[in-house]
Amino acid sequence: MSEPVHVAVLMGGWSKERPVSLMSGNDVAAALEKVGYKVTKVDMDRNVAQVLAGLRPNVVFNALHGVPGEDGSVQGMLDLMQIPYTHSGMVTSVIAIDKELTKQRLVPGGIPMPKGTMVESESLYLGDPLPRPYVLKPVNEGSSVGVAIVKADSNYGSPIARDATGPWQEFDTLLAEPFIKGRELTVAVLGGKPLCVTELKPKSGFYDFDAKYTDGLTEHICPAEIPKDIEDYMMELAQRAHELLGCKGASRTDFRWDDELGRDGVFVLETNTQPGMTPLSLVPEQAKQMGISYEQLVDILVKEALA
């Protein structure tokens, strides 16, 4: 009998998304064991290279979220160690986590994205960079961490007050984009093929970090109740974004759609190269909708990494 494939599930880390990564990692590890893999869970700390060198796994399942698991750092380390890993490689990860670099790759490829501008946080205390309403977001954080929607009637002040709580207090530089009214949708791509479209309806506010990861705060409509031509268009755009960025494994592309404008109202916000794998996460949900169980999903990701 041959030895089972040894998978190290890399999880935790020290980003703001650590709790979500631990949930993802524990679920992935349990599913992989059910499929028959030998699994070791690794809660990443600064000695992670030493730990992996001692384990000598056949493959790493990257269940990290945020920096450094999503920005190319861990990918570069694993490339140097010659250990195959799930999801996208180093160069793709570096580009996709940076919202400005993502635009530079996707917009020339025909992907519609909101026109944005980089702003120094200090300048926000003097005046608005765009007409309100507009969105301010860090350039390289995931999961809607640190996103603020600045509206005419928001309590941030006009101009934004120094003591108003927001991403300008944490980050020196932010990306300002026009606020696109309308609906929040997302498409997962697995093995190079789009799965389906999910509409996200937060019970209040917008689809922020808490809405993403707290049960009951967001209604997922899967598949989304939208016209067939819009569904097809979003799936085509998600697949093209996956290809233009060079993604591997699973990716998830997020959209805003102003449904009063038809196709012209569809905008890509970002492509996530390390989508969540928790029970509330969108990729497992879309896979299930397409008849792929959670166990099959993680098996597909490991097999693609090994191939």
Side-chain angles (χ1 to χ4, degrees):
M1 254 175 68
S2 60
E3 285 281 299
V5 172
H6 182 194
V7 185
V9 178
L10 202 49
M11 57 205 259
W14 48 84
S15 85
K16 288 181 181 173
E17 298 176 66
R18 172 181 169 79
V20 183
S21 171
L22 290 171
M23 278 197 291
S24 284
N26 283 316
D27 289 329
V28 165
L32 287 171
E33 280 178 343
K34 268 191 204 166
V35 178
Y37 290 99
K38 177 186 173 185
V39 177
T40 307
K41 293 194 276 193
V42 178
D43 185 348
M44 188 174 84
D45 61 13
R46 308 283 176 180
N47 301 320
V48 64
Q50 211 172 335
V51 172
L52 289 171
L55 286 173
R56 298 177 65 182
N58 301 106
V59 61
V60 163
F61 193 108
N62 183 357
L64 294 163
H65 300 308
V67 178
E70 208 170 329
D71 68 346
S73 305
V74 161
Q75 290 79 2
M77 176 193 75
L78 293 170
D79 287 341
L80 282 172
M81 296 179 76
Q82 298 185 312
I83 302 172
Y85 52 91
T86 61
H87 299 88
S88 296
M90 182 181 78
V91 173
T92 296
S93 303
V94 167
I95 293 168
I97 201 165
D98 186 300
K99 294 175 177 72
E100 195 58 21
L101 289 177
T102 299
K103 279 187 185 176
Q104 288 169 18
R105 177 61 61 91
L106 295 186
V107 172
I111 305 289
M113 299 184 80
K115 286 187 168 60
T117 179
M118 302 298 296
V119 296
E120 298 301 316
S121 294
E122 271 295 314
S123 71
L124 297 170
Y125 308 128
L126 304 174
D128 290 327
L130 298 172
R132 298 188 181 201
Y134 63 91
V135 181
L136 289 169
K137 51 178 92 164
V139 182
N140 52 11
E141 286 279 346
S143 281
S144 307
V145 169
V147 174
I149 299 173
V150 183
K151 299 178 178 168
D153 58 352
S154 68
N155 55 7
Y156 298 132
S158 184
I160 291 169
R162 280 184 186 274
D163 57 357
T165 303
W168 42 84
Q169 292 180 330
E170 287 182 75
F171 304 95
D172 294 333
T173 309
L174 294 166
L175 178 63
E177 291 178 341
F179 174 73
I180 295 158
K181 69 184 178 73
R183 297 157 72 172
E184 190 99 28
L185 301 114
T186 193
V187 177
V189 175
L190 177 67
K193 297 277 181 282
L195 296 178
C196 61
V197 184
T198 300
E199 181 167 8
L200 306 157
K201 288 191 167 175
K203 300 286 167 71
S204 65
F206 80 114
Y207 190 55
D208 61 5
F209 187 84
D210 290 334
K212 280 184 184 181
Y213 299 116
T214 311
D215 202 357
L217 283 190
T218 300
E219 185 186 355
H220 295 185
I221 300 163
C222 179
E225 293 159 1
I226 57 175
K228 181 76 170 70
D229 65 318
I230 299 295
E231 178 191 356
D232 291 345
Y233 183 45
M234 286 184 175
M235 285 171 60
E236 178 200 326
L237 288 175
Q239 184 171 350
R240 271 176 37 210
H242 184 94
E243 289 164 1
L244 284 165
L245 291 166
C247 297
K248 292 195 178 74
S251 74
R252 199 194 73 237
T253 295
D254 297 335
F255 295 85
R256 289 286 286 188
W257 178 41
D258 183 341
D259 53 9
E260 292 171 13
L261 300 176
R263 269 175 70 117
D264 292 344
V266 174
F267 291 91
V268 167
L269 298 180
E270 63 180 336
T271 295
N272 186 329
T273 56
Q274 288 287 123
M277 294 291 288
T278 73
L280 285 184
S281 296
L282 293 150
V283 173
E285 184 177 61
Q286 289 196 2
K288 187 178 174 187
Q289 178 67 30
M290 304 308 291
I292 302 165
S293 71
Y294 189 86
E295 286 80 14
Q296 287 170 315
L297 172 61
V298 295
D299 188 37
I300 287 166
L301 291 169
V302 168
K303 285 198 166 90
E304 186 178 343
L306 286 166

